[in-house]
Amino acid sequence: AMTANGARGDTLAQMEDVLGLPVSDLNEALHAFAATLGPDAEGADGDADGEAAGPALRLADSVWIREGLAVERPFLQDCVNYYDAAIFQEPFDGSTADAINGWVDENTDGMIDRIVDVVGPQSMMYLVNAVAFDGAWETPYEESQVADDTFTRGDGTAQTLPLMASSEGLYLEGAGATGFIKPYADGRYALAALLPAEGTTPGELLASLSGSELRGLLRDASFDEVRALMPKFEDSCGIELSGVLSAMGMADAFGDGADFTGISADGGLCISEVNHRAF
């Protein structure tokens, strides 16, 4: 979304089509959403002394500019005004990679400590977004609720894992799966856990679900007791998304014909990589 503020012509039209809104509307919508996440937002929990607690979900944005690149002020102003982006001008050497990775590490509570391996000689700008979610359960698990048991993986193999037992009150059923919803302490967020139907893999379940079907499944949760067993786990993934976004319709942004003169009037800019990492 930040990058789209610097796109022009067909490049902008394609990006707006993929992102689903004109960039001006997208700016306003995302800015309004981010404003709901702060500790002063309605419904935010306080601590034992009545002080406002930090939000469970936090967003941070930054723009990193190679020294010598002339950047249009309106583009930077949009990044600051709508995305509260921090702006950095750097030499784009080894120290810049360390600085970007340090910023990501700080803004994900250490969950992701690296996003840039090497700053390439042709790299002119990095636009970085970090999202951190750190939620406490509304009803935390007690030690007595955790015990080793058999868990069957998606490929059908079984292994012994620590499983967390609980009784939940929101039951999900439909679209080839059953499951439950477990709220977080602030009441604004919840985990939705889905178990594929017998004989179905998680991958097959995901491939069969449309967005509207998933929304319907979550919306139609019923108030029923669910005896749930969930493994303690951690997971991480990394993916480069330029091919995906190009196939979705914004191909011009990644080629020689890209028009990002709203970022720099000198031209010659295109998107080289879109890296996503999650933990």
Side-chain angles (χ1 to χ4, degrees):
M2 287 196 295
T3 310
N5 282 279
R8 298 291 184 267
D10 290 342
T11 303
L12 174 60
Q14 290 180 7
M15 293 184 75
E16 289 181 330
D17 185 55
V18 171
L19 294 171
L21 287 173
V23 68
S24 58
D25 293 344
L26 190 66
N27 287 338
E28 295 284 357
L30 293 176
H31 180 69
F33 171 70
T36 70
L37 303 179
D40 296 326
E42 183 179 351
D45 278 352
D47 62 19
D49 297 320
E51 298 293 328
L57 180 64
R58 302 191 312 282
L59 309 178
D61 297 284
S62 58
V63 179
W64 303 76
I65 305 165
R66 179 185 284 272
E67 290 178 350
L69 176 66
V71 179
E72 296 295 300
R73 179 170 291 275
F75 167 75
L76 294 179
Q77 198 66 59
D78 284 337
C79 291
V80 172
N81 289 351
Y82 293 109
Y83 301 93
D84 198 24
I87 310 295
F88 302 94
Q89 194 158 44
E90 293 278 334
F92 273 44
D93 54 17
S95 67
T96 301
D98 291 340
I100 294 173
N101 290 327
W103 184 91
V104 170
D105 181 74
E106 178 181 354
N107 284 284
T108 61
D109 293 342
M111 289 183 280
I112 296 173
D113 61 3
R114 192 168 195 84
I115 192 69
V116 175
D117 293 320
V118 177
V119 173
Q122 292 185 305
S123 297
M124 304 302 291
M125 177 180 286
Y126 288 90
L127 296 98
V128 187
N129 168 252
V131 183
F133 179 83
D134 189 3
W137 297 117
E138 183 178 77
T139 305
Y141 292 96
E142 304 292 342
E143 285 188 24
S144 61
Q145 294 174 284
V146 183
D148 287 349
D149 206 335
T150 301
F151 178 78
T152 303
R153 296 154 53 115
D155 61 9
T157 59
Q159 63 184 132
T160 300
L161 289 175
L163 293 183
M164 305 181 294
S166 63
S167 178
E168 306 298 339
L170 289 170
Y171 175 63
L172 302 173
E173 183 175 7
T178 55
F180 62 92
I181 292 176
K182 184 175 181 66
Y184 288 98
D186 59 10
R188 304 177 68 202
Y189 304 102
L191 169 78
L194 294 178
L195 180 67
E198 191 76 23
T200 305
T201 67
E204 289 169 339
L205 172 63
L206 289 170
S208 71
L209 277 176
S210 67
S212 60
E213 287 172 330
L214 179 58
R215 282 195 300 272
L217 180 64
L218 299 177
R219 187 176 56 241
D220 294 338
S222 61
F223 292 98
D224 290 301
E225 182 182 3
V226 185
R227 289 181 293 172
L229 280 173
M230 184 167 65
K232 294 177 66 174
F233 71 96
E234 63 181 45
D235 195 17
S236 60
C237 71
I239 187 171
E240 204 286 312
L241 291 166
S242 58
V244 173
L245 291 168
S246 182
M248 288 174 69
M250 50 182 280
D252 283 8
F254 299 94
D256 292 338
D259 184 350
F260 288 107
T261 50
I263 296 178
S264 175
D266 296 338
L269 297 178
C270 68
I271 302 174
S272 58
E273 292 183 340
V274 179
N275 286 310
H276 175 71
R277 295 189 184 177
F279 174 87

